[in-house]
Structure formats: structure tokens, C-alpha cells
Amino acid sequence: AYNLAVVVDDAQQGVEEVVRGADLLETTHRQLWLARQLGVAAPVSYAHVPLVLGPDGQRLAKRHGAVTLADLGWSGTDALAWCARSLGLAAAGEPVSPALLLERFDPAALPREPTTFAPGASG
């Protein structure tokens, strides 16, 4: 059902580029096959990025609790800094900004391995 839903949804919205978690890589060929069978345009390109894992080593999900930035004592800036560090775009303690991240972003340099998010970690 998921594969059919995303194929129809992507086609109706004219999606050309898809970025999904690495856990969905193996479903891509099924979606391309379904798009051909339905006679709809498939996205032109796909990228599958490493997952963020919980402290238990499993894909970060609702089972880890519905935690907000406020629950962590984080600001949006703290969250941006954690994301930047996890992607290798900033060093610990380095101030980050969207402009800096855009300047440093290189898809080819993105990590290939999952990142673990530990709720006790500081931003």
C-alpha cells in the first residue's frame, strides 16, 4: 500500500527529485516498476540518506517518545548546530547559520553511516 500511495502521490504532485531515508532504498525499484505499470511519470532522481538512530541503535521514531526541542532544553539554533555537526558541516562549538551550511553543503561529502541521537546530548 505504501509503494502504491507514494507512486500515485508523487505522480500527481509532479515530484521529480526524491530524498528518503536509507531504509527505503530497497523499495525504490518497486516504485519505479509501479509507475511504469500505471503509465505515470516517475521521479527523475532519488537520494537515500543515512538514518538518525536512537540510543538503542534503532531508527529514530515515535517509539523513542514524542520529544520536543523544549523537552530537551534546546533552541532551534541548538538543533541546527547538532544537524550541522552530524553532517560534518560544522565543528563542535562553532556558530552555524543557514548561509554557512549552504556554503559548505556538498552531497558527495555527506556521511554514509547513520548518526545516533542521544536525548541527553547538548545542542
Side-chain angles (χ1 to χ4, degrees), residues 3-92:
N3 288 310
L4 179 60
V6 296
V7 168
V8 171
D9 189 51
D10 288 352
Q12 285 184 336
Q13 293 186 59
V15 172
E16 294 182 353
E17 297 177 350
V18 172
V19 178
R20 294 190 178 127
D23 59 329
L24 296 174
L25 176 61
E26 66 185 55
T27 66
T28 302
H29 73 279
R30 292 181 194 110
Q31 294 164 14
L32 292 170
W33 182 85
L34 277 169
R36 280 194 305 275
Q37 299 309 305
L38 295 171
V40 298
V44 176
S45 64
Y46 287 83
H48 293 84
V49 298
L51 298 178
V52 176
L53 306 177
D56 60 356
Q58 299 296 311
R59 178 177 56 88
L60 190 62
K62 292 177 202 169
R63 71 176 154 266
H64 294 97
V67 178
T68 67
L69 292 177
D71 292 337
L72 297 173
W74 283 18
S75 67
T77 303
D78 295 329
L80 183 64
W82 183 87
C83 290
R85 286 193 311 275
S86 74
L87 295 170
L89 299 175

